[in-house]
């Protein structure tokens, strides 16, 4: 029996022999052969986003990506509206050659995707044109929020998304120069709004509150090069990736501070009131425990549901460690040579089995369809006309009738009544100027291209986003290319 299977079997035997009364349950699902009592480990590898059954070591790719085309970060487990099981979230940055005035290529976008591995569905949540960076970093989540860092060159911002809302835009929590530049490194469990962040300038650590946009003091003394971190489901243990000596496990207090600071996260550091005057009782003191100090820096860490096992994404593979084991080698290794760079362990899935996992087509078709939809009309895409071309963009909710969907020209009266979003020409395409302007779900976008040509109007949505049944006209459907207005 493999070491990991032995650990799981021992834990199950201990639970069965316990004299504690059984907790009441709301439903009794039918037994499922191969039930995922220990959950699934989601991972990002060279082949794409996948899931692994820790009890058997079997895995499946659920969102394939072509080699070298995209930079994928995550994945993380989180909730989804109207779904009774956790789903996967990950980000994509288009790494293919960028187009130039005289060369073909792509306009690079950052994307946030949601994959339901049991429904076999993939859906874009947001897209953001990004020609300056390599895409989002530090993708973290809990049972309510997803957070990430975007940007480059000392201008990193922190964005957060409420995963429990059907249609919610990303909220900017911290953005230079008005606030500090932070790297997102972890998140408190449950529905806590606390994001563990490390300051770009000083390496200092704080809790950044996704709801209030304020800083709280961080309960651990971590170094400027430590991280990422993973916090156990009960909020009492933190696993911290070290720069060159594997990881360390130590107790943490991840409860929301009772006393809230009154100022927002500033570029110069936390306000004086950021140190709360009252907290919940901290965990019992314990010495930090090294996790294979002979390792180099882990790319990702994640706890099993019962916090008895720790999974690391390191050396391109998944390594499993017993939380209380002495400093030393792993008890199991999976996906050796697969190029694993991220891991996330779900809660128990007692009514699911790995055989129920379904693959999707992956993100490339959606990414390419947006490039087709945002191509400039041929008459505007000339050396003489591109400098004169104007792009006007409006957002509307396609689940209800909107006057925006019938806009045919950007007249002064229309611009005064319906102020457009910022957008412009990017070589042979048009693109929104602000981050995360394009959202999925019911959101649709009316675009008018004019200035150098007679006005051309179209309605688009993020390709692959869920259609909205209340839309009264054919422009409701999510299309991969613009349709000229009559």
């Amino acid at each position: 029996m493999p070491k990991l299977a032995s650990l799981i079997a021992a834990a199950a035997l201990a639970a069965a022999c316990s004299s504690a009364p059984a907790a009441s349950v709301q439903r009794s699902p039918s037994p499922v052969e191969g039930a995922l009592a220990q959950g699934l480990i989601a991972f990002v590898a060279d082949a794409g986003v996948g899931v692994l059954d820790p009890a058997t070591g079997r895995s499946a790719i659920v969102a394939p990506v072509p080699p070298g085309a995209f930079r994928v970060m995550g994945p993380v487990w989180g909730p989804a509206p109207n779904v009774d099981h956790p789903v996967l979230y990950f980000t994509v940055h288009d790494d293919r050659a960028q187009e130039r005035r005289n060369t073909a290529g792509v306009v690079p976008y950052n994307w946030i995707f949601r994959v339901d591995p049991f429904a076999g569905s993939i859906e874009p949540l947001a897209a953001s044109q990004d020609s300056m960076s390599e895409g989002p970093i530090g993708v973290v989540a809990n049972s309510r929020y997803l957070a990430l860092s975007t940007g480059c060159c000392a201008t990193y911002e922190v964005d957060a998304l409420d995963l429990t809302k059907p249609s919610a835009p990303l909220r900017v929590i911290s953005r230079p120069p008005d606030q500090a530049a932070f790297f997102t490194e972890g998140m408190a469990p449950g529905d806590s709004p606390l994001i563990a962040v490390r300051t770009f300038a000083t390496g200092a650590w704080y809790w950044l509150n996704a709801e209030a946009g304020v800083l709280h003091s961080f309960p651990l003394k971590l170094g400027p090069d430590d991280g990422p971190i993973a916090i156990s489901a009960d909020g009492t243990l933190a696993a911290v990736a070290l720069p060159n000596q594997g990881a360390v496990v130590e107790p943490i207090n991840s409860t929301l501070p009772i006393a809230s600071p009154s100022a927002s996260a500033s570029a110069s550091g936390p306000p004086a009131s950021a140190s709360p005057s009252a907290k919940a009782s901290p965990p019992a003191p314990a010495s930090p425990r090294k996790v294979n100090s002979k390792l180099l820096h882990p790319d990702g860490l994640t706890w099993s549901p019962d916090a008895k096992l720790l999974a690391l994404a390191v050396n391109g593979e998944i390594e499993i460690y017993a939380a209380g084991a002495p400093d030393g080698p792993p008890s199991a290794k999976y996906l050796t040579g697969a190029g694993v760079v991220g891991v996330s362990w779900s809660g128990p899935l007692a009514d699911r089995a790995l055989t129920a996992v379904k693959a999707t087509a992956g993100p490339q078709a959606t990414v390419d369809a947006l490039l087709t939809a945002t191509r400039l009309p041929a008459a505007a895409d000339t050396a003489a006309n591109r400098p004169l071309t104007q792009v006007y963009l409006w957002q509307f909710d396609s689940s209800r009738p909107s006057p925006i969907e019938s806009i045919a020209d950007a007249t002064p009266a229309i611009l005064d009544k319906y102020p457009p979003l910022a957008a412009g020409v990017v070589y042979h395409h048009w693109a929104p100027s602000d981050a995360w302007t394009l959202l999925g779900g019911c959101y649709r976008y009316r675009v008018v291209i004019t200035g150098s040509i007679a006005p051309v109007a179209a309605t688009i949505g993020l390709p692959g986003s869920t259609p909205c049944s209340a839309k009264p006209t054919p422009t409701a459907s999510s299309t991969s290319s613009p349709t000229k207005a009559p």
Side-chain angles (χ1 to χ4, degrees), residues 213-232:
V214 296
L215 292 174
H216 305 279
S217 58
F218 198 70
L220 302 181
K221 295 186 181 300
L222 301 181
D225 297 317
D226 292 343
I229 72 171
I231 301 175
S232 59

Side-chain angles (χ1 to χ4, degrees), residues 265-279:
S266 68
S268 59
S273 56
S275 298
S277 58
K279 287 184 179 181

Side-chain angles (χ1 to χ4, degrees), residues 101-319:
R101 186 166 285 105
N102 299 315
T103 60
V106 303
V107 175
Y109 277 80
N110 299 328
W111 292 80
I112 301 176
F113 281 94
R114 174 168 58 209
V115 164
D116 186 335
F118 299 105
S121 62
I122 182 169
E123 183 178 3
L125 299 186
S128 180
Q129 194 272 328
D130 181 5
S131 301
M132 301 299 295
S133 80
E134 294 185 347
I137 58 176
V139 181
V140 296
N142 59 17
S143 62
R144 181 168 183 180
Y145 296 100
L146 178 143
L148 46 82
S149 294
T150 57
C152 73
C153 318
T155 62
Y156 296 96
E157 73 178 45
V158 175
D159 302 320
L161 177 65
D162 189 336
L163 301 176
T164 64
K165 295 182 178 179
S167 296
L170 272 79
R171 181 185 173 199
V172 177
I173 308 300
S174 177
R175 175 188 289 162
D178 297 326
Q179 292 93 27
F182 290 118
F183 298 121
T184 46
E185 299 284 5
M187 198 149 195
D191 61 358
S192 172
L194 297 181
I195 309 165
V197 295
R198 178 167 55 89
T199 311
F200 170 80
T202 66
W205 286 70
Y206 304 100
W207 287 126
L208 177 58
N209 192 314
E211 292 177 350
V214 296
L215 292 174
H216 305 279
S217 58
F218 198 70
L220 302 181
K221 295 186 181 300
L222 301 181
D225 297 317
D226 292 343
I229 72 171
I231 301 175
S232 59
D234 65 3
T236 63
L237 289 175
V240 183
L242 301 177
N244 55 17
Q245 293 186 332
V248 63
V249 172
E250 55 184 304
I252 189 173
N253 174 14
S254 60
T255 57
L256 182 67
I258 296 173
S260 297
S262 57
S264 62
S266 68
S268 59
S273 56
S275 298
S277 58
K279 287 184 179 181
S281 299
S287 299
R289 297 191 303 274
K290 288 290 186 70
V291 179
N292 199 350
S293 55
K294 294 183 179 180
L295 283 175
L296 296 177
H297 174 72
D299 294 306
L301 318 87
T302 185
W303 289 98
S304 65
D306 57 10
K308 293 182 178 179
L309 302 173
L310 180 68
L312 303 185
V314 64
N315 297 327
E317 64 188 10
I318 297 176
E319 298 186 0

